[in-house]
Amino acid sequence: MQTETGTDRYACRSPEEVRRLEAEYLFDTYRRYDLLVSHGSGAYVYGFDGRRYLDFLAGIAVNSLGYAHPRITRVIAEQSARLIHSSNLLYHPFQGQLARRLVELSGLSKAFFTNSGTEAIEGALKIARAWARRNGFTEKTTILSLKNSFHGRTLGALSITAQEKYQAPFRPLLPGVRFVDDLTPEGLERAFTPDVCAIVAEPIQGEGGVVPLPPDCLPTARELCDRRDALLVLDEIQCGMGRTGTWFAFQQLGVKPDVVTIAKAIASGYPLGAILGSARVADALQPGDHGTTFGGGPLACRIALEVLDVIEEEGLLEHVTRMGTYLISGLRKLAVSHPTIGDVRGKGLMVGAVLGTAARPAVEALLKGGVLANAAHETVLRLLPPFVISLRDIDEFLETLDHVLADIERSASGTVAGRA
Ligand SMILES: *Cc1c(COP(=O)(O)O)cnc(C)c1O
């Protein structure tokens, strides 16, 4: 018998074994979908049974270039053969170049690299507090966050996540956080007490159900931050890096933030995040104030540089805008014949369809029909396809959704008739 080596040694033996091992050895934190994934190519992922799935999830807004993009697999192979990690005690060639690109694309001034979105939020919170202190605003320690927001799972990020279900098991959380429920200009002004050092907002809320903020919300927040000496922190971890058709969602909203957090799509699947800061906060952090062992490593930064090049050279921002418009109009057409679909909202390839029923069964039925999607906030079907999706892919998705909704509507009316 041949000796098993390398990855073969851990090759998948059966879906049952995978499930059994996870059930026995993992903390029970995830409600996974019924798909054991093997590999991907372009906008498709493949199960171990060989079945093809059209991907409208992109690893939760991460796999911007889809799967196995030849330029990404090449830089991973080449750079990993040279240097994967070096620590932030040494220089490597890519962190500065990536910081320059992100600064140029965002119009901000400085970058700090992290390994995840949550870590970027943690750093942004520290910048807010440090900035206030350095500028002599010692009373300013309060962070404002908006209702229905999601900023991550660590204690700091969780503390500014205004959703009871995430916070409830973990109190007490960080003090000095206040949620804003009234997003009108008056409501924001009332919330902006003299102790506020920053307001954090997602330009389009993701986990909250693909909810764009009211149009005057961010301009009002910007104006209040200027007038009352506070920072506007935008969480673009989900909506940034091209997902809405511009590099950053704020670029379509007429505001310039002081701090932006990004992650998810930045390295198309490789873990990386960043905090970007304006000139106003450029010296908020001093040597020793903040750091990370892994953040901004050579492999991660090299991949992100390649991702930015591919998006630019393949014209993917324009493509995202075109595909997003097509997808949203297709969903609105479907809504005419499917009463289950209510509001259709979002921008670019960050799209939500509010269903008149729980979204999870629809997501599971889509999966059976060969499409990967996701449910957010109970009733929202959230669509986050990779940027490389085609018109034909969107047609295929809409056709599958058409059947799925017809089934759901048929069985719902059956239930009602059965009860009557
Ligand atoms: C995903 C997400 C986060 C958390 O990012 P992680 O990489 O999961 O830590 C924070 N904010 C927003 C808006 C997100 O979508």
Side-chain angles (χ1 to χ4, degrees), residues 23-209:
E24 187 167 350
Y25 294 109
L26 288 183
F27 278 107
D28 188 18
T29 51
Y30 298 112
R31 268 179 78 208
R32 300 196 202 283
Y33 299 131
D34 187 22
L35 170 59
L36 174 58
V37 66
S38 158
H39 62 281
S41 175
Y44 302 102
V45 293
Y46 295 83
F48 262 94
D49 56 2
R51 184 157 183 214
R52 193 201 81 169
Y53 295 84
L54 174 58
D55 183 25
F56 269 56
L57 174 64
I60 321 187
V62 168
N63 302 321
S64 44
L65 303 183
Y67 300 85
H69 192 289
R71 286 181 58 177
I72 300 306
T73 57
R74 197 183 65 229
V75 298
I76 290 173
E78 290 177 0
Q79 184 55 39
S80 66
R82 283 196 201 104
L83 186 68
I84 293 174
H85 171 78
S86 55
S87 92
N88 284 303
L89 298 177
L90 310 176
Y91 290 100
H92 69 70
F94 309 118
Q95 213 177 100
Q97 294 189 74
L98 181 59
R100 179 176 65 192
R101 286 291 289 282
L102 293 171
V103 158
E104 285 169 0
L105 295 174
S106 64
L108 299 181
S109 298
K110 297 282 183 185
F112 178 92
F113 292 104
T114 67
N115 307 288
S116 68
T118 303
E119 276 176 78
I121 289 289
E122 294 293 332
L125 296 178
K126 284 178 71 177
I127 287 173
R129 292 264 175 93
W131 171 82
R133 194 143 308 156
R134 278 187 68 79
N135 285 280
F137 305 126
T138 45
E139 80 290 1
K140 289 185 178 292
T141 55
T142 298
I143 314 275
L144 295 181
S145 152
L146 309 188
K147 69 170 174 189
N148 194 49
S149 55
F150 180 88
H151 298 293
R153 308 282 202 152
T154 57
L155 277 173
L158 180 64
S159 300
I160 63 161
T161 288
Q163 295 196 49
E164 180 61 18
K165 66 176 174 187
Y166 294 122
Q167 291 199 334
F170 302 107
R171 296 207 172 92
L173 296 169
L174 199 68
V177 174
R178 224 165 43 232
F179 297 144
V180 187
D181 288 326
D182 177 1
L183 304 188
T184 63
E186 303 72 44
L188 286 165
E189 174 130 25
R190 256 195 314 279
F192 248 89
T193 45
D195 58 322
V196 170
C197 64
I199 180 164
V200 185
E202 301 156 83
I204 301 178
Q205 294 182 333
E207 302 308 302

Side-chain angles (χ1 to χ4, degrees), residues 315-378:
L316 286 176
L317 293 182
E318 299 75 19
H319 185 73
V320 164
T321 302
R322 267 203 318 278
M323 295 304 107
T325 305
Y326 188 73
L327 174 59
I328 289 174
S329 80
L331 285 164
R332 293 200 170 126
K333 273 183 217 140
L334 268 192
V336 175
S337 51
H338 290 289
T340 310
I341 304 184
D343 197 13
V344 175
R345 60 201 184 199
K347 192 103 213 167
L349 291 175
M350 180 171 182
V351 176
V354 184
L355 305 184
T357 166
R360 175 101 187 186
V363 169
E364 283 168 3
L366 281 169
L367 189 63
K368 286 207 179 79
V371 173
L372 255 174
N374 172 246
H377 221 250
E378 310 303 329

